[in-house]
């Protein structure tokens, strides 16, 4: 019984250390746009937004947290409008599959049907000035009637 307790304590310690290390490597979440649906037309835009107070010199990273399935081919893109203190700075387009760090990816393709889930770091942005930043985003996709979005969220980390 003592051996099992020692082993479970060590496993708990290892898991705690891994969690602390992964948080340090991926950054602290400061905003999340839980879009979770494709905007199919200008009459039906699914827009989500969040605001973050940022300082000059901050570096933020955009991560995609995805879970979707489809048949054939599909192209997905987040379009993110960046606003600082009510002034539009520009639009950032992010392909969630274009990632330089991936966590927990699971992709299966059987008979033309693909199930794909992952969390991935897509890009970074250096903050040039202090301000209240608004990130307003939507998700667009190529035409594919088989696309099912279970989760499509853009996570902003600092």
């Amino acid at each position: 019984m003592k051996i099992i307790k020692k082993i479970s304590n060590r496993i708990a310690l290892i898991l705690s250390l891994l969690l602390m290390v992964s948080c340090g490597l991926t950054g602290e979440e400061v905003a999340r746009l839980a879009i979770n649906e494709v905007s199919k037309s200008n009459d039906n835009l699914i827009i989500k937004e969040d605001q973050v107070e940022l300082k000059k010199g901050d570096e933020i990273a955009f991560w995609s947290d995805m879970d979707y399935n489809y048949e054939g081919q599909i192209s997905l893109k987040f379009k993110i409008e960046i606003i600082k203190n009510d002034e539009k700075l520009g639009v950032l387009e992010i392909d969630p599959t274009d990632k330089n760090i991936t966590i927990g990816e699971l992709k299966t393709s059987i008979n033309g049907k693909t199930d794909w889930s992952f969390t991935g770091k897509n890009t970074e942005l250096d903050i040039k000035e202090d301000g209240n930043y608004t990130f307003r985003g939507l998700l667009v996709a190529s035409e594919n009637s088989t696309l099912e979005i279970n989760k499509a969220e853009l996570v902003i980390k600092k």
Side-chain angles (χ1 to χ4, degrees):
M1 199 65 170
K2 288 181 181 182
I3 293 174
I4 293 173
K5 187 174 182 179
K6 284 182 181 181
I7 291 172
S8 65
N9 286 344
R10 287 183 181 167
I11 291 172
L13 177 64
I14 290 169
L15 290 175
S16 296
L17 289 172
L18 286 174
L19 182 61
M20 288 190 302
V21 168
S22 73
C23 287
L25 291 176
T26 65
E28 172 192 358
E29 182 176 322
V30 295
R32 180 178 289 260
L33 306 181
I35 299 169
N36 297 319
E37 195 173 339
V38 172
S39 291
K40 296 184 179 180
S41 71
N42 287 336
D43 298 331
N44 184 27
L45 297 177
I46 312 300
I47 299 172
K48 302 293 179 171
E49 72 176 57
D50 206 345
Q51 295 182 354
V52 181
E53 194 70 34
L54 297 170
K55 301 286 184 200
K56 178 180 179 179
D58 284 346
E59 183 178 273
I60 59 172
F62 295 88
W63 290 71
S64 299
D65 190 1
M66 307 295 293
D67 181 7
Y68 60 103
N69 58 71
Y70 59 92
E71 292 180 24
Q73 299 295 317
I74 193 74
S75 173
L76 295 172
K77 197 171 288 187
F78 286 112
K79 291 188 178 186
I80 311 304
E81 183 178 35
I82 302 171
I83 302 162
K84 179 183 70 82
N85 300 334
D86 298 323
E87 176 187 344
K88 183 178 175 180
L89 297 180
V91 175
L92 183 62
E93 292 190 3
I94 296 173
D95 174 350
T97 65
D98 184 13
K99 49 202 185 316
N100 52 41
I101 296 175
T102 306
I103 299 172
E105 183 168 22
L106 180 60
K107 183 177 184 181
T108 57
S109 294
I110 300 172
N111 294 330
K113 181 176 182 183
T114 301
D115 291 300
W116 200 356
S117 64
F118 60 85
T119 299
K121 181 179 178 183
N122 303 108
T123 191
E124 297 175 344
L125 179 67
D126 292 324
I127 300 302
K128 306 278 190 237
E129 298 176 352
D130 293 359
N132 183 12
Y133 287 77
T134 300
F135 299 93
R136 185 176 297 147
L138 57 84
L139 179 67
V140 294
S142 57
E143 185 64 37
N144 185 327
S145 62
T146 67
L147 175 64
E148 292 180 20
I149 302 285
N150 300 311
K151 184 184 219 180
E153 300 183 357
L154 189 71
V155 182
I156 301 169
K157 297 185 179 191
K158 189 159 90 167

